[in-house]
Amino acid sequence: MLKIADKSFTSRLFTGTGKFATPQLMSQSIQASGSQLVTMAMKRVDAQDQQDDILAPLIKAGVNLLPNTSGARNAEEAIFAAQLAREALGTNWLKLEIHPDPKYLMPDPIETLAAAEKLVEQGFVVLPYVHADPVLCKRLEDVGCAAVMPLGAPIGTNKGLRSRDFLEIIIEQANVPVVVDAGIGAPSDAALAMELGADAVLVNTAMAVAKDPVAMAKAFAQAVEAGRSAYLAGLGAELRHAEASSPLTAFLDTL
Amino acid sequence: MLKIADKSFTSRLFTGTGKFATPQLMSQSIQASGSQLVTMAMKRVDAQDQQDDILAPLIKAGVNLLPNTSGARNAEEAIFAAQLAREALGTNWLKLEIHPDPKYLMPDPIETLAAAEKLVEQGFVVLPYVHADPVLCKRLEDVGCAAVMPLGAPIGTNKGLRSRDFLEIIIEQANVPVVVDAGIGAPSDAALAMELGADAVLVNTAMAVAKDPVAMAKAFAQAVEAGRSAYLAGLGAELRHAEASSPLTAFLDTL
Amino acid sequence: MLKIADKSFTSRLFTGTGKFATPQLMSQSIQASGSQLVTMAMKRVDAQDQQDDILAPLIKAGVNLLPNTSGARNAEEAIFAAQLAREALGTNWLKLEIHPDPKYLMPDPIETLAAAEKLVEQGFVVLPYVHADPVLCKRLEDVGCAAVMPLGAPIGTNKGLRSRDFLEIIIEQANVPVVVDAGIGAPSDAALAMELGADAVLVNTAMAVAKDPVAMAKAFAQAVEAGRSAYLAGLGAELRHAEASSPLTAFLDTL
Amino acid sequence: MLKIADKSFTSRLFTGTGKFATPQLMSQSIQASGSQLVTMAMKRVDAQDQQDDILAPLIKAGVNLLPNTSGARNAEEAIFAAQLAREALGTNWLKLEIHPDPKYLMPDPIETLAAAEKLVEQGFVVLPYVHADPVLCKRLEDVGCAAVMPLGAPIGTNKGLRSRDFLEIIIEQANVPVVVDAGIGAPSDAALAMELGADAVLVNTAMAVAKDPVAMAKAFAQAVEAGRSAYLAGLGAELRHAEASSPLTAFLDTL
């Protein structure tokens, strides 16, 4: 079972609330995914109307909310958003996102570390979204982050694990859970992340933009389980030469 | 449901009997995989002893046997092996394999087509194992093969879908089921093959050489289902730019 | 120096005459490439007018013509086109291309081998264009082909060496020169093919569709030389861990 | 011509002095590479003996020295090493390297930015070695770095451009030269970096560990020129479908 800070998770698939065509579809997809941790932007939290009705069944079903600071361009804005989120949602869990660049939304390593340090001091359970930077991930761990969330590819691109070589180093070195976030575009990507030894993945866009988000959510749930099981079951090595899985029928020679 | 010739399959994961540490482990793994079609070399069939006791529970559980001609170096040897197999096992299903090269075991396109044509005439249900060659796959379909089994990578290498670009063309053009065979080294590879639109995959080495083959077999079963579901649910496109799944918190500007 | 049949080549970059915006640009680009072997379709050969004036300077500059059978859908058509080409151009060299599929233009292994065997008997120097199929390449070598021309990716796609794993096997096993043909989209692709040990590459589309084909032709010439030199100079292995090329400044500790 | 700070370079291939079997081989290789900027660790600079005799011909030949801070684990150590280097070598150019992790030698984004800012204030021409982090590169540019040096793969691994997707973003956004550093294992990798629009590459290990470093240095020089020329000549797009470069011989139908 995955443990982050004081919470335990039987599902290693985290999700988000963005980009779904309707709130109903969002709610149904998240429930189908079996996810127990769902990230959401403060803007959504802010709207005290219809949305709450959507979140209610999720919360009732035991889903934990993970407010994020998406849109924050520096540490100051992120800390302010975090405080608002804590007040509005009654949770000290936080996905820390700081991305000054509006085109690729790549996270800022400097501001993220600075904000993480302060938020940990303020009692937040901080899960920072970062580039797949092994040194940065160690530093975030050192200042007390509860997990690290390195990206697979620029957010929303569905490109898969383009940072694979660096994710492998992060996973090897981490003493906190590693959650691969952003870029995962298909269940096979999620399975691969888990096979590499990631502790969890966060998937949002790939579910939300699918033709059938609910069915896609289920597919991701299965793929994450498959990848985790394969990691535990011990994958074989890649070989340079062929090896027949069927023994050569030597009997043909003897006839 | 997948239909090949006169049979229907609820599981899209095919397996094989090679390379497992013990016959018991082989039998348990195959049952855990949920596979309904299992390939085996004639050499195994030939040994009328212990092995039969192993196969018995599989057959009882509804698993179909798919004898293969592994070790055949030309059409003549393959046809001879096929006839032996039909007699010994009482099935006209056949995985046609002809590989003259003992190092990489790459299949021979010429002999395979020649043998396929004759075996179809002789009433076999022929599933030929071939390189990921789109034109060859069409020709095998044209002579009456029940499915085509292009490889992802040289057999036994666990390298995954190295022939991906060509598999995509094969899948686009095929009017018979496409079963991706050989090279699949991890559940993520199997999921990817299914996401590309393959009708099934055949996995053997990656299960057999896992530290825990039974657990790995279950993982492959989940991954194949996940990949198939994702294919049906309609995967989103890869994008060049980032797109936030959390809407930017414009509220920060307005405070 | 590369030797194919009775001819020697100092340049390992082969080219073609297709897709250039003007005959002048084609001629200039080929000359800039330094190529000594240029393939052309029979249709071009057929037109006995303007084109001859374009080819004349190339021939005068020592470029050898390699007529191809592009457009042939089976062995019969290819053999007929080959005979026409020999008569029209006075050369028994032939690039054998047979592709029944008009969308991806993937070559037909069966018809290609059948045609190659007959054309060799008729005294042609046959260079067959084929999928990256190691067994087929050996068979073409066995029937007397002077070289083999496996593809990197579907022709005209500029996708690079998508068949890399199979090209490596072909190169390892071949006793005739291996010319990587089709798919090479950039000089880096050409360099990679040469680094893998290919004897030459054939590039056409990537030059012809460049904004500046003449400059691109020169770039390809350099890249082919670079890749060949690197192959001969012995590339280092890929390593799993980092190794600093600058020794760690232990002196910092001693201060 | 490439311009960094006050210097202009006709060669876009930068090199280093590490890992060569002998100082003579190092000197010969660098001269063969045509490189005009050569990085070296302070430890080497420190040894006031034999090495100077090796460097002398390079300097005489117009090669510029780029001392690096390899081995520094934080900003303080790096700044100290930089000051020593300036004094010892009489140059204010500096390759800033800070890597606390001895296994993968991945650079530290936080310390690197902090050191860069101070070193720029102290009059250094700073070229920081960093992970392929687009936001960090912008920040380094903003504090006055003369260029940025993102990595292709962990240093010394010869793995090529594993960070490709992120290098593309860096190149698109940069207002200072981008020098791809670390991981480049073959001339094809160097050509690819230049085709993507990098301004230069730094290669050391791949030359030093080649069987013939001098020949490999020449190969890299050619590849860098090829890649740069291709970038300027305008590469064609990748296509999904095949397009014949030889027009289909419609004449076959009319006969």
Side-chain angles (χ1 to χ4, degrees):
Chain A
M1 189 147 45
L2 173 61
K3 203 165 182 311
I4 300 179
D6 57 317
K7 286 185 181 153
S8 296
F9 301 89
T10 49
S11 164
R12 290 168 182 272
L13 173 59
F14 300 163
T15 54
T17 60
K19 288 191 185 176
F20 288 91
T22 68
Q24 286 71 20
L25 211 46
M26 181 261 280
S27 179
Q28 290 163 16
S29 300
I30 291 172
Q31 289 192 271
S33 76
S35 180
Q36 296 162 334
L37 191 66
V38 176
T39 193
M40 58 194 330
M42 277 304 294
K43 193 179 185 181
R44 294 180 181 279
V45 176
D46 208 37
Q48 291 288 357
D49 50 339
Q50 183 198 16
Q51 206 104 40
D52 288 351
D53 301 335
I54 303 301
L55 291 177
L58 291 177
I59 295 169
K60 201 172 171 186
V63 169
N64 298 283
L65 296 186
L66 178 65
N68 67 56
T69 62
S70 180
R73 287 155 303 194
N74 54 45
E76 195 187 358
E77 289 184 0
I79 291 167
F80 181 69
Q83 290 163 341
L84 283 183
R86 178 159 60 176
E87 211 170 313
L89 291 172
T91 175
N92 63 345
W93 280 53
L94 186 79
K95 181 180 170 194
L96 176 60
E97 290 187 58
I98 303 178
H99 33 62
D101 156 36
K103 183 166 181 191
Y104 294 104
L105 297 170
M106 290 291 292
D108 183 320
I110 313 295
E111 296 292 316
T112 301
L113 180 62
E117 194 159 11
K118 285 188 187 150
L119 289 165
V120 168
E121 281 168 16
Q122 294 177 18
F124 283 92
V125 172
V126 181
L127 293 82
Y129 165 62
V130 287
H131 191 16
D133 181 327
V135 176
L136 180 62
C137 285
K138 285 309 284 180
R139 295 194 71 141
L140 287 161
E141 178 184 317
D142 290 344
V143 301
C145 288
V148 289
M149 303 184 76
L151 56 77
I155 195 167
T157 59
N158 288 333
K159 283 187 172 186
L161 303 193
R162 300 302 173 100
S163 60
R164 174 177 174 162
D165 289 77
F166 308 101
L167 291 173
E168 289 179 349
I169 299 175
I170 291 168
I171 290 166
E172 179 185 327
Q173 298 183 335
N175 295 313
V176 292
V178 176
V179 183
V180 176
D181 186 11
I184 291 178
S188 56
D189 297 330
L192 176 57
M194 300 307 294
E195 288 163 4
L196 296 178
D199 296 281
V201 297
L202 194 153
V203 178
N204 184 335
T205 297
M207 285 180 197
V209 305
K211 280 193 198 139
D212 182 343
V214 174
M216 192 61 84
K218 283 182 198 160
F220 269 103
Q222 280 186 304
V224 168
E225 285 187 21
R228 178 66 183 175
S229 298
Y231 173 72
L232 296 173
L235 287 158
E238 277 189 26
L239 300 178
R240 167 108 182 79
H241 290 175
E243 292 196 21
S245 46
S246 295
L248 296 178
T249 46
F251 82 96
L252 284 168
D253 290 321
T254 63
L255 288 167
Chain B
M1 190 144 44
L2 172 61
K3 204 166 181 307
I4 301 180
D6 56 317
K7 288 184 180 152
S8 296
F9 301 89
T10 50
S11 164
R12 290 169 182 271
L13 173 59
F14 300 163
T15 54
T17 60
K19 289 191 184 179
F20 287 92
T22 67
Q24 285 71 20
L25 211 47
M26 180 261 280
S27 178
Q28 288 163 17
S29 300
I30 290 172
Q31 289 191 273
S33 76
S35 180
Q36 296 162 335
L37 192 65
V38 176
T39 192
M40 57 194 331
M42 276 305 293
K43 194 178 184 182
R44 295 180 180 279
V45 176
D46 207 36
Q48 291 288 357
D49 52 338
Q50 184 197 16
Q51 205 103 42
D52 287 354
D53 301 336
I54 303 302
L55 291 177
L58 291 177
I59 295 170
K60 202 172 169 187
V63 169
N64 297 285
L65 297 186
L66 179 64
N68 67 56
T69 62
S70 180
R73 287 157 301 195
N74 54 44
E76 195 188 357
E77 289 185 0
I79 291 168
F80 182 68
Q83 290 164 339
L84 283 182
R86 177 158 61 176
E87 212 169 314
L89 291 172
T91 175
N92 63 343
W93 280 54
L94 185 80
K95 181 180 170 195
L96 176 61
E97 290 186 60
I98 303 178
H99 33 62
D101 156 37
K103 183 165 181 190
Y104 293 104
L105 297 170
M106 291 288 294
D108 184 320
I110 313 295
E111 295 291 316
T112 301
L113 180 61
E117 193 159 10
K118 284 187 187 150
L119 288 165
V120 169
E121 282 169 14
Q122 294 177 18
F124 283 91
V125 172
V126 182
L127 293 81
Y129 166 62
V130 286
H131 191 16
D133 180 328
V135 176
L136 180 62
C137 284
K138 285 310 282 182
R139 295 194 70 142
L140 287 160
E141 178 184 318
D142 290 344
V143 301
C145 288
V148 288
M149 304 185 75
L151 56 77
I155 195 167
T157 59
N158 287 333
K159 284 188 172 185
L161 303 194
R162 301 301 173 100
S163 60
R164 175 176 174 163
D165 289 78
F166 308 101
L167 291 173
E168 290 179 348
I169 299 175
I170 291 169
I171 290 166
E172 179 185 329
Q173 298 183 335
N175 296 312
V176 292
V178 176
V179 183
V180 176
D181 185 11
I184 291 177
S188 57
D189 297 330
L192 176 57
M194 299 307 294
E195 288 164 3
L196 296 178
D199 296 281
V201 296
L202 194 152
V203 178
N204 183 336
T205 296
M207 285 181 198
V209 304
K211 281 194 198 138
D212 182 343
V214 174
M216 192 62 84
K218 282 182 199 159
F220 270 103
Q222 280 187 304
V224 167
E225 283 188 21
R228 178 66 183 175
S229 297
Y231 173 72
L232 295 174
L235 287 158
E238 277 188 27
L239 299 179
R240 168 110 182 79
H241 290 175
E243 290 197 20
S245 45
S246 295
L248 297 179
T249 46
F251 81 98
L252 284 169
D253 289 323
T254 63
L255 287 166
Chain C
M1 190 148 42
L2 172 62
K3 203 165 182 307
I4 300 178
D6 56 316
K7 286 185 180 155
S8 296
F9 301 89
T10 50
S11 163
R12 289 169 182 272
L13 174 58
F14 300 162
T15 53
T17 60
K19 289 191 183 176
F20 288 92
T22 68
Q24 286 73 18
L25 210 46
M26 181 262 280
S27 179
Q28 288 164 16
S29 299
I30 291 173
Q31 289 192 273
S33 76
S35 179
Q36 296 161 334
L37 191 66
V38 176
T39 193
M40 59 195 329
M42 275 305 292
K43 194 179 183 181
R44 294 180 181 279
V45 176
D46 207 39
Q48 290 289 355
D49 50 338
Q50 183 198 15
Q51 205 103 39
D52 288 352
D53 302 336
I54 303 300
L55 291 178
L58 290 178
I59 296 169
K60 201 172 171 187
V63 170
N64 297 284
L65 297 186
L66 179 65
N68 66 56
T69 62
S70 180
R73 287 156 302 195
N74 53 45
E76 194 188 359
E77 288 184 1
I79 291 168
F80 181 69
Q83 290 162 341
L84 283 184
R86 178 159 59 177
E87 211 171 313
L89 291 172
T91 175
N92 63 343
W93 281 54
L94 185 80
K95 181 180 171 196
L96 176 60
E97 288 187 61
I98 303 179
H99 33 62
D101 156 36
K103 182 166 181 190
Y104 294 104
L105 297 170
M106 291 289 293
D108 184 320
I110 313 293
E111 297 291 315
T112 301
L113 180 61
E117 193 159 10
K118 285 190 186 147
L119 288 164
V120 169
E121 281 168 15
Q122 294 177 20
F124 283 92
V125 172
V126 180
L127 293 82
Y129 166 62
V130 285
H131 192 15
D133 180 328
V135 176
L136 180 62
C137 285
K138 285 309 283 183
R139 295 194 71 142
L140 288 160
E141 178 184 318
D142 289 344
V143 301
C145 289
V148 288
M149 304 184 76
L151 55 77
I155 195 167
T157 58
N158 288 333
K159 283 188 172 185
L161 303 194
R162 300 301 174 101
S163 60
R164 175 177 173 163
D165 290 78
F166 307 100
L167 291 172
E168 290 179 349
I169 298 175
I170 291 169
I171 290 166
E172 179 186 327
Q173 297 183 335
N175 296 312
V176 293
V178 176
V179 183
V180 177
D181 185 11
I184 291 177
S188 57
D189 297 330
L192 176 56
M194 300 307 294
E195 288 164 3
L196 296 178
D199 296 280
V201 296
L202 194 152
V203 179
N204 183 334
T205 297
M207 286 181 196
V209 304
K211 280 196 198 136
D212 182 342
V214 174
M216 192 61 84
K218 283 182 197 159
F220 270 103
Q222 280 187 304
V224 167
E225 284 188 21
R228 178 68 184 174
S229 298
Y231 173 73
L232 296 175
L235 287 158
E238 276 188 27
L239 299 178
R240 168 107 183 78
H241 290 175
E243 291 196 21
S245 46
S246 296
L248 296 178
T249 47
F251 82 97
L252 284 168
D253 289 322
T254 63
L255 287 167
Chain D
M1 189 145 45
L2 172 61
K3 204 165 181 308
I4 300 179
D6 56 316
K7 286 183 181 157
S8 296
F9 301 89
T10 50
S11 164
R12 289 168 182 271
L13 173 58
F14 300 163
T15 54
T17 60
K19 289 192 183 177
F20 287 92
T22 69
Q24 286 71 20
L25 210 47
M26 181 262 281
S27 178
Q28 288 163 17
S29 299
I30 290 172
Q31 289 192 272
S33 77
S35 180
Q36 295 162 335
L37 191 66
V38 176
T39 192
M40 56 193 333
M42 275 305 294
K43 193 179 185 182
R44 295 181 180 278
V45 175
D46 207 37
Q48 290 288 356
D49 51 339
Q50 183 198 16
Q51 205 104 39
D52 288 353
D53 301 335
I54 303 302
L55 291 177
L58 290 178
I59 296 168
K60 201 171 170 187
V63 169
N64 297 285
L65 297 186
L66 178 65
N68 66 56
T69 63
S70 180
R73 287 155 302 193
N74 53 45
E76 196 188 356
E77 288 185 1
I79 290 168
F80 182 69
Q83 289 163 341
L84 282 183
R86 178 160 59 177
E87 211 170 312
L89 291 172
T91 175
N92 64 344
W93 280 53
L94 185 79
K95 181 181 170 193
L96 176 61
E97 288 186 62
I98 303 179
H99 33 62
D101 156 35
K103 182 165 181 190
Y104 294 104
L105 297 170
M106 291 289 293
D108 184 320
I110 313 295
E111 296 291 316
T112 301
L113 180 62
E117 193 158 11
K118 284 187 188 150
L119 288 165
V120 167
E121 281 169 15
Q122 294 178 18
F124 284 91
V125 172
V126 181
L127 293 81
Y129 165 62
V130 286
H131 191 17
D133 181 328
V135 176
L136 181 62
C137 284
K138 285 310 284 181
R139 295 193 71 142
L140 288 161
E141 177 184 318
D142 289 345
V143 301
C145 289
V148 289
M149 303 184 75
L151 56 77
I155 195 168
T157 58
N158 287 333
K159 283 188 172 185
L161 303 193
R162 299 301 174 101
S163 60
R164 173 175 175 165
D165 289 77
F166 308 100
L167 291 173
E168 290 179 348
I169 298 175
I170 291 169
I171 290 166
E172 179 185 327
Q173 297 183 336
N175 296 313
V176 293
V178 176
V179 183
V180 176
D181 185 11
I184 291 177
S188 57
D189 297 331
L192 176 58
M194 300 306 294
E195 288 164 4
L196 297 179
D199 295 281
V201 296
L202 194 152
V203 178
N204 184 336
T205 297
M207 284 180 196
V209 305
K211 280 194 198 139
D212 182 342
V214 174
M216 191 61 83
K218 282 183 198 159
F220 270 103
Q222 280 186 304
V224 168
E225 285 188 21
R228 178 67 183 174
S229 298
Y231 174 72
L232 296 174
L235 287 158
E238 276 188 28
L239 299 178
R240 168 111 182 77
H241 290 175
E243 291 196 21
S245 46
S246 295
L248 297 178
T249 46
F251 82 97
L252 285 169
D253 289 321
T254 62
L255 288 167

